[in-house]
Amino acid sequence: MMRIETRTRPALMDYAYDDWLRIMRNGLSAREAREDVERDYELTEEEKAELSKKMLIELEKRMEGRR
């Protein structure tokens, strides 16, 4: 797969996050969804770390809502 230009990477990260949410809604675990997104979007290590932070924030919000 061809690397996406640097200037479009922020938008790509938003798409990756939205896909992660969609995949989880379709029944995969958060970890499985993250692995799929990281593989499909060919994220760099820095992007993986940034996306993981965003995902953790979302998971924490969901856990707070269950209390």
Side-chain angles (χ1 to χ4, degrees):
M1 190 174 198
M2 185 173 38
R3 290 296 294 164
I4 305 297
E5 290 183 44
T6 304
R7 66 176 183 232
T8 60
R9 297 304 285 184
L12 184 72
M13 293 296 291
D14 289 339
Y15 291 133
Y17 179 75
D18 290 343
D19 276 353
W20 173 73
L21 291 172
R22 181 186 51 77
I23 292 168
M24 281 197 320
R25 279 193 300 270
N26 288 333
L28 266 77
S29 70
R31 188 188 100 249
E32 292 170 322
R34 178 184 48 79
E35 290 170 352
D36 282 359
V37 166
E38 287 175 354
R39 183 183 56 251
D40 291 348
Y41 283 86
E42 296 182 351
L43 301 176
T44 65
E45 291 303 315
E46 184 178 301
E47 289 168 336
K48 287 178 185 179
E50 181 182 329
L51 188 59
S52 289
K53 286 179 192 176
K54 197 171 178 181
M55 291 171 174
L56 283 173
I57 291 168
E58 177 64 27
L59 292 173
E60 287 174 354
K61 286 179 186 177
R62 289 174 182 227
M63 294 302 291
E64 287 293 319
R66 292 184 181 178
R67 292 184 186 173

